[in-house]
Amino acid sequence: MTSTTVARNVVTGLRDLGVRHIFGVPSGGWVDYMEAIRTTDGIDFVLASHEGGAGFMADVCGRLTGVPGVCFGTFGPGATNLATGVGGATLDRSPMLALTDEMPAPLRGRTVQMGIDHQALFAPLTKATMRIAADSATDTLAEAARIALSGRPGAVHVGLPQGMSAQAVEAQAIGAVEADPLPMPDPAATAALVAAFAAAERPVLAIGLGAVHAGVQDRIAALAERFGLPVLLTPMAKGMIAEDHPNYAGVLFHALSDMVGQTHAEADLVVAIGYDPIEFNYESWMKDGLALASVDVAPIDIDRDKHPVAAEVVGAIAPALDALLALPAASKDWDLAGLAARKAAMFAKLAGRDGAFGPCAALDVLRDVLPDNGIMTCDVGAHTHLIGQHWRTPKPGTQIMTNGWSAMGFGLPAAIAAKLCRPDTPVCCVLGDGGFLMTAGELATAVREKLPLVIVIFTDNDLALIRIKQEKKSNPIYGTPVRAEGTIGGPSLFGVPVTVARDPAEFRAALVAGFAADGPVIVEALLDSREYDDLVLRKDKQ
């Protein structure tokens, strides 16, 4: 047997899993792993400015590649910083391996500087938590990857006991790792689904993130067209059906959700396909008494006293949809012309308008400049609600947001990871000025990695969602202005040039120049946040 070290077994094992980048902030205990990365082809370490940003980067790598993203944090504060990104991967359903230093066995439970129980810390934030042993590190990594990929994907924490990395061990290979196969749906449950669907006069399709993972986009379009059904999307399922498709009915929870609600208020059955309530629970938008039929990899989470469950199909999603598609084609009792008129009215309200430069006009310009194959990531804030409803998304994965976790500071690290995973694809991010301040240090990461990246900052000096809620309660505005006035800074930040745009024409010119640049650029749009007031935080139930 060939002798090697624990560190090299871990690094080559990750490389052989398909991991190409490990994101983090190094520690003394990580030095042997970094040297193994440096001398191993096909895998690189990416120094982040903050462990939380490293976690977000690993999350997005997992989403885009289907291989668990990997991040690292050291003891105590390194691990707690990392935890923000780790929780995001679990609740946004992205496969991830979160690595941390851990105390060697003799010091666990002792009073030690920076010493906390990482297994306990990560237990509620992950699908599983474990630690390596010297002679079985690759077996542990393979098990962690399998768990991360299976069912609803998520994060798995793996502790690396300090002092073990240089230990001599036998070289270990890691075989192919795949997600656990999903069970075939129970025939009786599928029969109940078919019966409920056949009996319904106005069933509506509600499509969630699980449908994206299942790759059933074509089946959903075929089902909607075969039976004349409206299709609702959750925000993270954007791209599963085109906005200009005649059966598209809008995105739940985001801007003008009251207009979307006019459609699902007319339904007599919700057929939920891969619907994950981590984005938006059923009770918040389904009218009381409305029946549900669910097709997903996990059981339903719903108040069954309010909503009768007509069918619950758990397992592989595609076979259940095939059973519905086998029914004779017959249009249900939906007024698709009325749906089209309602959708047109909704999009008209979201279009850019004359007067003060607002976020709707800025999104219109950005959508026109960014090619259809480009990727736009976004942060959390009022602009996210506009993006969810208004941003034309040609296919899943071309718009990337966090909704299950909804952490401000996500957008910039997400764009960095997207560009690393898709170097030939145009990538931009849209950030509010509040969210930008949370991870502004990752600009240094973009510069260090020499990433052509357009960073769009919507500057309105306002935490608009909270300000709107204050005003709805007739409370004074307090604690929500980001600054009294002005821009985010000078002509450059961390070596990234900044162009300020005060109207759509300036904004367009700055974007065109930005996408032609050979490194990261910031385009700061000075916007009027009052445009949000009539568009977001609308009533979801009718």
Side-chain angles (χ1 to χ4, degrees), residues 11 76 206 237 333 375 473 480 499 525:
V11 169
D333 188 25
I375 294 174
K473 289 180 174 289
T480 55
T499 301

Side-chain angles (χ1 to χ4, degrees), residues 79 102 108-109 114-123 129 131 157:
E102 282 202 314
R108 287 178 209 142
M114 299 171 68
I116 58 171
D117 185 346
H118 289 184
Q119 300 289 316
L121 169 67
F122 286 103
T129 182
R131 66 171 59 93
H157 166 246

Side-chain angles (χ1 to χ4, degrees), residues 8-10 12-14 132-143 171-174:
R8 190 160 296 280
N9 269 346
V10 166
T12 57
L14 292 172
I132 64 167
D135 59 355
S136 58
T138 55
D139 291 340
T140 300
L141 291 174
E143 175 66 2
Q172 298 172 331
I174 195 166

Side-chain angles (χ1 to χ4, degrees), residues 83 120 253 364 403 516:
F253 176 58
D364 286 343
N403 193 43

Side-chain angles (χ1 to χ4, degrees), residues 382-404:
H383 63 281
T384 317
H385 287 241
L386 292 189
I387 289 166
Q389 200 66 264
H390 183 41
W391 184 260
R392 182 173 54 80
T393 305
K395 62 181 180 179
T398 57
Q399 200 293 311
I400 298 175
M401 68 170 64
T402 171
N403 193 43

Side-chain angles (χ1 to χ4, degrees), residues 431-433 457-462 483 486-488 524-528:
L431 320 174
D433 44 353
I457 301 176
F458 283 5
T459 294
D460 51 30
N461 296 322
D462 182 22
R483 65 182 66 72
T487 64
I488 57 169
E524 184 180 14
L526 302 187
L527 303 178
D528 179 3

Side-chain angles (χ1 to χ4, degrees), residues 439-464:
T439 51
E442 299 305 345
L443 290 174
T445 307
V447 170
R448 190 184 310 114
E449 295 295 322
K450 300 180 175 64
L451 299 178
L453 186 67
V454 177
I455 300 150
V456 177
I457 301 176
F458 283 5
T459 294
D460 51 30
N461 296 322
D462 182 22
L463 298 181

